[in-house]
Amino acid sequence: MKRISVRARLLFALAALTLATFLVGAIAWAALERTTARVNRLHGDTLAAVDAAMTLSRQAAGIATRAPYMLLLDSPFRIAQEGEITVGVIDEIAAGLTEGDALSATLGDMRAATVEMVVHMQARAGYRDQTLRSNAALAKAERRFALLASSTDTPLAERQDWFTLQRLAAALLGAGRAENLIGVGEFQRAYHLLRRVANKDGLREGQGDLAELVALAEGREGLFELRRLELQHQIGAQGALVRVRIGAAEVIGHAEAVTTDAQAAIAVERAETISAIALRKSTILVAVLASAALALTAALYVSGYVTGNLRAVSDAMMRLAAGDRSLRLPRGEGAGDEIGKLFHAFRTFRANAIRLDRSNRRLAERNALFEKMMSSITDGVAILSDTGTIIARNDRLAEVLRIDPAHAGKRVGLDELVSRGGWKDTPGPTGSQMLATADGHYALRRESPLPGGGAVVLIADITEQRQIDDRMQQIRRIEALGKVTGEVAHDFGNILSTINGSLHLMETASPDVQRELVGSIANAAEIGTSLVQRLLAFARRQKLVPEVVELNALVDGMADLVAMALRDEIRLETREAPEPIEVRVDPGQLESALLNLCLNAAQAIDGSGEITISVAAEGNRAVIEVADTGCGMSAETVEHAMEPFYTARADGTGTGLGFAMVYGFISQSGGEVRILSTPGAGTTVRMILPRAEAAASLATRWSRVLLVEDDPEDLSAARAILNDHATELVEETTTEGALARLEEQVFDLVVSDLSLGGSPGGWRIASAALSSGAARSVAIVSGRLPAKTPFNGQYGSALVTLAKPFDIAALCAAFGKDDRHDRA
């Protein structure tokens, strides 16, 4: 019977495992499809209804809010306009209802009440206008009567007549200003009493004025009738408003009932989905266990038979390679399969090795002389005399120097051959001479003196090596990028797993557990924020708030803080510059960088040691050095020290972002970082920054500034910059809020973030402000400014763009000196 091969057995096991994997996948796929179908059905049956109910509720609330507003209007046009809008909303709601819906009658009553309210309010507005004109005439007459009644030159009887007319006019004014029918009635009673008094006594003066008052007060067009009609229509409008509000409440109640039904449907569907998922989980678990059992069986076979025999063959081969020719393997093991073929191959190798041993012993003496010959050397070799001429050479010399072999004979100077090949000296490694040609070939020349005079020179062609080195540098850069990507993906994967897991657990957790899960989510978000800030520091994209800082004062102020963070056996020394040195940086970030470097230096010191922080000026640059007496770093460590996620700590506790953050911050501030280190001799980190010139005080001042920013940190930073340069600073966090402000007020300057709420709302604000004349100038700020604005220079110098973070100097420079003086 033919023995089944190892390959066939392994293929069978892999096929079975593949089948089991497809089975598990099919079960999982079916479960997901079923769940997806249920979710889609749930979305179609419930969420759409909930959305429609919420829309209905918002529309009803809008009607209930807009209707009372009409009671406050006096313009018939405005009343009609608001009424049309309200009726339009009611008609829109009615159009969305199905035939026979219970809300149809309610909406019909609301529409009729709205129309009735508009009619009442328009009639009331007309009567109100006539009343106001009557009140104006009465007020004028009342003042004239009062003046005549108070005149001392008029006889007493005549003054009494004017006083009576004054009281009549006052009663009519009171009726024209009363807020209800009872008040109007009281004033009407007072009027008739005074009228009887006037008729009884008989006015001697002002008979014409009395008739004028009677005409204004009595009749169908009289003041009392106008007031009665006005208040009657007002009461009718209020009654209609009550009907509108009752109808809106019924619509909102209907929307709430729909939402409650949808929630119940969601709960039922959720329970069914959970049961279905539990069943699929059980099925998948059984399939997984069967796959695991099959995999374990295959592993035991590979381990017991294949691996054991392979280990025996490999051990025998190692001993054979080491010179042991006595080891034998059994002949019958694994006969007919791959293991048997390996055993046969070993026996063949052993027989060949024994034969080669015999041949090598015979050839050893013959090869002894040839091994000494220079022809076996791949480099060009030349033996020089005391005068530099070539005594002996190998054939590779002419090939390496790229010259005709006929010109490389004996008694020719090596320097002459090098010059003939077009080679020039170029900087190279210490102890050797680098040669290069104009067409990009490189060679390395090494020379060793001979005891009796002369020298041995080796010239190696390193062109390919140089190309490989350049390629390796590129590969290392790509590997560094891949490492950053992998580490960031890993860290954010952990953070997102924590957040996702907590969110799933919150659905069924108790309130106490939910609070703990919220804490976990907050911690994960904080860790992610910290990681992003560190990466932004390395990428030179962090948000900085630069200001002019005097380095001597900053280092002196940090000395106590750094000393407290160091171990007792480490001494801290600060060396200040003899003159003040000012730079323009973010002081908090610079202090953090110094503290970070000092803590790294302390970790490099084993036992006692010293850390020195020194400040010095080199021309127009400022230099801050942090030097330690620690263990130092190798050249390889220095080369990779500023790469993110690279750490040389043996315990693996470092994050690999310390030097990367310092490098990113200093580079973003316009400086550079250098590391000088020797193993065993300590490390010195030099931070070089441009010095800041004394900035002239900015007298720029705007009367009113609108600041639009949705990020709290950016808003706080911009507020600190603009507070001292604006008489009034108005803040908004949304595009809609800013546009509303521009409709209400006029601003000298608008400073807006480009991206608001995930969309480029800054362009909308700029267009609205400059097109309407609501602002004289607009500055759009962003961390990622586009190459050009969408307006193609339409607004000229009135619109500028600034990169975040910005300062007042950059803002003033963007608008020009003349513009600043105009606003001062």
Side-chain angles (χ1 to χ4, degrees):
M1 179 178 178
K2 185 178 180 182
R3 189 180 182 89
I4 300 176
S5 67
V6 175
R7 180 174 181 271
R9 298 177 207 176
L10 290 177
L11 287 176
F12 175 77
L14 290 174
L17 283 174
T18 303
L19 181 61
T21 302
F22 276 116
L23 178 62
V24 173
I27 295 173
W29 180 271
L32 289 175
E33 286 293 325
R34 183 75 176 275
T35 304
T36 302
R38 290 192 176 196
V39 170
N40 290 335
R41 180 166 56 83
L42 179 64
H43 180 273
D45 296 343
T46 59
L47 296 185
V50 170
D51 181 67
M54 292 180 67
T55 302
L56 184 62
S57 180
R58 285 195 300 270
Q59 290 174 329
I63 293 172
T65 303
R66 184 181 295 277
Y69 174 66
M70 286 191 288
L71 294 180
L72 304 177
L73 299 175
D74 291 327
S75 170
F77 173 74
R78 289 292 307 281
I79 292 170
Q81 186 181 44
E82 291 296 325
E84 289 178 1
I85 294 175
T86 304
V87 169
V89 174
I90 294 173
D91 291 341
E92 181 182 351
I93 296 175
L97 299 179
T98 58
E99 185 176 357
D101 196 298
L103 288 179
S104 298
T106 301
L107 292 173
D109 185 64
M110 289 175 64
R111 192 181 192 283
T114 302
V115 173
E116 181 180 339
M117 183 167 58
V118 170
V119 171
H120 281 301
M121 289 306 299
Q122 286 180 329
R124 174 188 173 274
Y127 291 128
R128 180 64 177 167
D129 184 63
Q130 296 181 46
T131 300
L132 291 176
R133 288 197 295 271
S134 298
N135 285 346
L138 288 170
K140 181 177 180 181
E142 193 271 342
R143 287 194 297 272
R144 184 168 64 84
F145 296 154
L147 181 63
L148 293 172
S150 62
S151 175
T152 57
D153 298 333
T154 306
L156 179 60
E158 185 178 337
R159 289 167 60 189
Q160 288 179 346
D161 291 343
W162 293 121
F163 181 69
T164 300
L165 290 175
Q166 179 190 352
R167 293 178 62 191
L168 281 169
L172 291 175
L173 276 175
R177 296 169 180 171
E179 296 296 331
N180 50 59
L181 289 173
I182 296 175
V184 173
E186 291 295 332
F187 283 109
Q188 187 174 13
R189 206 164 27 252
Y191 165 78
H192 286 296
L193 288 175
L194 291 171
R195 174 76 183 278
R196 284 196 294 271
V197 171
N199 293 336
K200 180 180 179 181
D201 294 342
L203 289 173
R204 287 168 295 280
E205 297 293 338
Q207 287 292 340
D209 292 319
L210 176 60
E212 183 179 347
L213 292 178
V214 171
L216 284 173
E218 300 176 9
R220 294 180 59 84
E221 299 295 330
L223 177 64
F224 293 112
E225 182 64 18
L226 291 176
R227 292 294 291 150
R228 184 185 68 78
L229 293 174
E230 176 189 347
L231 294 174
Q232 180 181 351
H233 283 293
Q234 182 173 351
I235 292 171
Q238 290 174 344
L241 173 62
V242 171
R243 290 166 56 195
V244 171
R245 285 181 168 175
I246 292 173
E250 292 181 7
V251 173
I252 293 174
H254 174 76
E256 292 177 350
V258 172
T259 303
T260 302
D261 294 342
Q263 289 176 345
I266 290 173
V268 172
E269 191 66 28
R270 179 176 177 273
E272 294 179 357
T273 302
I274 290 175
S275 299
I277 291 175
L279 177 61
R280 299 307 189 280
K281 286 182 177 178
S282 301
T283 307
I284 292 172
L285 179 60
V286 172
V288 168
L289 292 176
S291 300
L294 182 59
L296 181 61
T297 302
L300 290 175
Y301 167 73
V302 172
S303 175
Y305 178 72
V306 178
T307 306
N309 287 320
L310 287 178
R311 184 182 299 110
V313 173
S314 63
D315 291 343
M317 291 295 290
M318 291 294 294
R319 293 178 62 179
L320 180 63
D324 185 359
R325 307 291 188 260
S326 61
L327 183 64
R328 296 176 181 272
L329 292 177
R331 289 182 174 274
E333 187 69 26
D337 59 13
E338 290 86 350
I339 299 298
K341 293 178 181 178
L342 282 175
F343 276 42
H344 177 70
F346 168 75
R347 288 190 291 272
T348 302
F349 276 118
R350 178 176 174 273
N352 291 334
I354 293 173
R355 286 194 295 270
L356 285 174
D357 286 343
R358 289 194 294 266
S359 299
N360 287 335
R361 283 193 295 270
R362 288 194 298 268
L363 293 174
E365 294 179 357
R366 298 179 184 178
N367 292 333
L369 294 176
F370 294 100
E371 290 177 355
K372 298 179 182 179
M373 295 182 61
M374 293 183 297
S375 59
S376 64
I377 301 175
T378 58
D379 298 335
V381 180
I383 301 176
L384 306 181
S385 65
D386 296 338
T387 59
T389 56
I390 299 175
I391 300 175
R393 63 169 181 85
N394 64 352
D395 296 336
R396 280 282 297 167
L397 180 62
E399 182 179 349
V400 170
L401 292 179
R402 299 181 180 276
I403 60 176
D404 188 349
H407 299 157
K410 295 182 180 181
R411 301 302 175 182
V412 178
L414 181 59
D415 293 337
E416 180 182 350
L417 292 181
V418 170
S419 177
R420 188 179 299 169
W423 297 90
K424 304 291 183 181
D425 290 344
T426 186
T430 304
S432 60
Q433 181 183 7
M434 179 76 76
L435 302 175
T437 63
D439 57 354
H441 289 86
Y442 295 89
L444 192 64
R445 173 175 174 172
R446 296 185 179 90
E447 183 171 337
S448 300
L450 294 174
V456 176
V457 177
L458 280 80
I459 300 179
D461 187 352
I462 61 170
T463 302
E464 185 177 356
Q465 180 181 346
R466 283 289 297 264
Q467 294 173 348
I468 293 174
D469 289 342
D470 293 340
R471 180 61 177 167
M472 288 302 296
Q473 288 289 341
Q474 183 180 6
I475 292 174
R476 279 195 290 270
R477 288 193 294 270
I478 296 174
E479 288 177 347
L481 178 60
K483 183 177 181 182
V484 172
T485 305
E487 292 291 342
V488 171
H490 178 267
D491 289 345
F492 274 102
N494 292 337
I495 293 169
L496 293 176
S497 296
T498 301
I499 295 175
N500 193 30
S502 299
L503 289 175
H504 282 295
L505 293 175
M506 285 178 68
E507 295 180 358
T508 57
S510 63
D512 292 337
V513 176
Q514 285 183 354
R515 283 191 291 272
E516 295 179 1
L517 293 174
V518 170
S520 300
I521 293 173
N523 291 335
E526 185 176 355
I527 293 172
T529 301
S530 175
L531 179 60
V532 169
Q533 289 174 347
R534 293 180 178 185
L535 291 173
L536 286 175
F538 168 72
R540 293 171 280 176
R541 297 300 302 273
Q542 63 178 334
K543 300 173 182 176
L544 301 179
V545 184
E547 61 184 69
V548 177
V549 177
E550 207 286 305
L551 292 181
N552 290 327
L554 184 140
V555 171
D556 183 66
M558 281 197 63
D560 293 338
L561 174 63
V562 175
M564 286 171 25
L566 302 178
R567 302 192 303 272
D568 293 337
E569 60 267 30
I570 297 178
R571 187 171 66 90
L572 176 67
E573 179 182 358
T574 59
R575 298 175 183 173
E576 300 177 2
E579 76 277 6
I581 300 178
E582 293 182 343
V583 295
R584 186 172 187 81
V585 294
D586 185 325
Q589 293 293 338
L590 181 57
E591 290 176 352
S592 176
L594 283 172
L595 181 59
N596 199 340
L597 292 176
C598 290
L599 293 178
N600 282 349
Q603 292 174 350
I605 298 175
D606 187 12
S608 62
E610 178 177 318
I611 297 176
T612 304
I613 304 177
S614 58
V615 179
E618 293 181 357
N620 60 351
R621 303 191 302 174
V623 179
I624 310 172
E625 288 190 352
V626 178
D628 64 71
T629 58
C631 60
M633 293 185 285
S634 64
E636 181 182 2
T637 302
V638 171
E639 181 181 0
H640 298 284
M642 295 184 190
E643 296 178 1
F645 300 105
Y646 177 84
T647 177
R649 297 183 190 172
D651 57 0
T653 58
T655 64
L657 288 174
F659 275 128
M661 289 174 60
V662 174
Y663 166 76
F665 159 66
I666 296 298
S667 298
Q668 190 175 354
S669 300
E672 58 181 306
V673 181
R674 298 175 184 173
I675 301 176
L676 308 175
S677 183
T678 303
T683 300
T684 299
V685 180
R686 290 170 55 90
M687 296 183 291
I688 304 171
L689 291 166
R691 297 181 64 175
E693 299 179 358
S697 61
L698 295 172
T700 304
R701 201 163 179 84
W702 290 271
S703 296
R704 183 182 292 121
V705 175
L706 174 61
L707 174 59
V708 189
E709 179 59 72
D710 59 351
D711 185 272
E713 294 183 6
D714 288 349
L715 179 63
S716 177
R719 182 189 304 118
I721 293 172
L722 294 172
N723 260 338
D724 295 335
H725 302 276
T727 305
E728 179 183 356
L729 183 61
V730 180
E731 297 177 3
E732 289 292 343
T733 59
T734 63
T735 303
E736 290 72 20
L739 294 176
R741 287 279 189 181
L742 291 170
E743 291 179 358
E744 300 170 356
Q745 295 176 291
V746 176
F747 296 88
D748 291 326
L749 173 65
V750 175
V751 179
S752 173
D753 189 9
L754 175 59
S755 178
L756 297 169
S759 63
W763 298 134
R764 291 179 56 195
I765 294 172
S767 177
L770 296 175
S771 298
S772 64
R776 294 178 58 185
S777 302
V778 176
I780 300 298
V781 298
S782 175
R784 295 183 178 180
L785 284 172
K788 59 181 181 179
T789 70
F791 307 114
N792 296 323
Q794 175 182 353
Y795 302 114
S797 60
L799 175 63
V800 300
T801 57
L802 296 173
K804 285 187 178 179
F806 73 98
D807 55 19
I808 192 64
L811 184 62
C812 294
F815 288 111
K817 295 182 179 180
D818 295 336
D819 192 47
R820 294 202 302 267
H821 291 314
D822 290 343
R823 288 169 170 77

